[in-house]
Amino acid sequence: MEQEKIKNIIEAVLLSAEKPMTVAHLDELFVLDIADHENEKPSRDEIRQVLHILADDYSNRGFELKQVASGFRLQVRQEYADWVGRLWEEKPQRYSRALLETLALIAYRQPITRGEIEEVRGVSVSSNIIKTCIERDWIKVLGHKDVPGRPSLYGTTREFLDYFNLKSLDELPSLAEITDLDKLHPELELNDELDEGEASIQDNGENTNSAEEADVSTDDNQNVNSEINQDMDQDIDEEDSSKAESASL
């Protein structure tokens, strides 16, 4: 099959797809072409090459081909989001600084318990904050800590990486680079007016005694973070990992 046709097919698929597409998913679309001698099935290397060409083609456009944790997708460039956002009359949901701080702690210190989050922030964590993050599929329960009460250990999800345009946790900015939470991700629309109310909420019967929770060791954190990244990478491509990494965008 000619490269130009492969390029047009993949472009059409990415425009129509409701979620990011992996190389493996794109490869499956050409399975029926195996028996068609006129339309020979492209290899995965050819698919990767076409994705690279498309990314170059879109370099000066209002949208881009972006690789995130779940695969490749076409999206509007961040610098044009304000104008595109005017298409919708409904204003985006606003999130409090308390939620962003909680989410940041989970992202950087996962796996982490609610009590450990409260110990760092110095205030109680509202159940609504945890509930919102779970409903948005930004965090999930990775397990339970082996201490009295067995509190839940929270970590981020693939959807979290997709939302923040990240391919893996390794792409998170270093804490030294984050000087202003307002600039961490402007799409979150921080609402400072909610902070005081949310920070003061005391959840009777749900707060974990932070004194009973020992800190998770640095080695444990690194091991779990590595497992999370490996779990995400396994679904991106079924081919040999070294081959995929060398040819991916």
Side-chain angles (χ1 to χ4, degrees), residues 1 3 6 41-51:
M1 187 179 298
Q3 186 181 77
I6 300 173
K41 179 181 177 296
S43 66
R44 293 192 178 186
D45 281 342
E46 289 177 309
I47 292 175
R48 292 190 183 93
Q49 184 178 6
V50 166
L51 289 169

Side-chain angles (χ1 to χ4, degrees), residues 190-222:
L190 295 180
N191 186 358
D192 290 332
E193 295 178 357
L194 297 179
D195 289 346
E196 183 177 352
E198 290 189 21
S200 63
I201 294 178
Q202 300 294 327
D203 301 308
N204 295 328
E206 295 185 11
N207 287 341
T208 304
N209 188 346
S210 59
E212 295 179 349
E213 298 178 356
D215 290 339
V216 176
S217 68
T218 301
D219 289 340
D220 288 342
N221 282 340
Q222 291 176 345

Side-chain angles (χ1 to χ4, degrees), residues 5-232:
K5 185 172 184 179
I6 300 173
K7 176 181 170 182
N8 290 338
I9 292 173
I10 292 178
E11 183 177 49
V13 169
L14 291 174
L15 283 169
S16 304
E18 296 181 351
K19 61 181 182 180
M21 300 289 292
T22 66
V23 172
H25 290 154
L26 293 171
D27 180 63
E28 291 174 359
L29 300 177
F30 294 96
V31 170
L32 296 179
D33 295 324
I34 295 178
D36 188 347
H37 297 292
E38 294 183 1
N39 293 314
E40 185 178 354
K41 179 181 177 296
S43 66
R44 293 192 178 186
D45 281 342
E46 289 177 309
I47 292 175
R48 292 190 183 93
Q49 184 178 6
V50 166
L51 289 169
H52 185 81
I53 294 173
L54 286 173
D56 289 340
D57 289 348
Y58 304 148
S59 60
N60 294 318
R61 306 289 293 275
F63 59 94
E64 63 182 339
L65 178 61
K66 181 73 176 181
Q67 184 179 12
V68 292
S70 298
F72 296 86
R73 68 184 180 194
L74 292 176
Q75 63 183 37
V76 174
R77 291 187 181 277
Q78 181 64 39
E79 56 263 39
Y80 306 119
D82 288 343
W83 288 274
V84 175
R86 294 170 188 170
L87 288 172
W88 293 274
E89 295 182 0
E90 183 179 354
K91 293 183 179 180
Q93 186 173 358
R94 299 175 68 86
Y95 298 99
S96 69
R97 183 177 299 275
L99 184 145
L100 182 55
E101 290 176 354
T102 300
L103 186 60
L105 281 170
I106 294 174
Y108 282 94
R109 297 196 177 187
Q110 60 184 299
I112 188 172
T113 67
R114 180 171 172 174
E116 290 166 343
I117 296 172
E118 292 173 342
E119 184 176 355
V120 174
R121 295 192 63 234
V123 292
S124 174
V125 175
S126 167
S127 294
N128 289 331
I129 289 179
I130 300 297
K131 180 181 178 182
T132 298
C133 290
I134 292 177
E135 289 178 345
R136 293 300 303 266
D137 286 331
W138 288 342
I139 66 171
K140 64 181 179 181
V141 176
L142 301 178
H144 296 83
K145 193 169 182 178
D146 191 16
V147 296
R150 294 184 56 78
S152 297
L153 288 166
Y154 295 102
T156 54
T157 64
R158 182 180 290 106
E159 287 74 15
F160 166 84
L161 296 176
D162 289 350
Y163 183 85
F164 288 94
N165 284 330
L166 301 172
K167 183 180 176 182
S168 70
L169 293 173
D170 295 334
E171 294 184 356
L172 281 170
S174 65
L175 292 176
E177 295 174 338
I178 302 177
T179 58
D180 189 347
L181 284 175
D182 295 319
K183 297 178 181 178
L184 180 60
H185 206 278
E187 294 175 2
L188 286 175
E189 293 289 336
L190 295 180
N191 186 358
D192 290 332
E193 295 178 357
L194 297 179
D195 289 346
E196 183 177 352
E198 290 189 21
S200 63
I201 294 178
Q202 300 294 327
D203 301 308
N204 295 328
E206 295 185 11
N207 287 341
T208 304
N209 188 346
S210 59
E212 295 179 349
E213 298 178 356
D215 290 339
V216 176
S217 68
T218 301
D219 289 340
D220 288 342
N221 282 340
Q222 291 176 345
N223 289 338
V224 175
N225 287 344
S226 177
E227 292 174 2
I228 295 169
N229 279 330
Q230 289 174 4
D231 178 62
M232 294 174 177

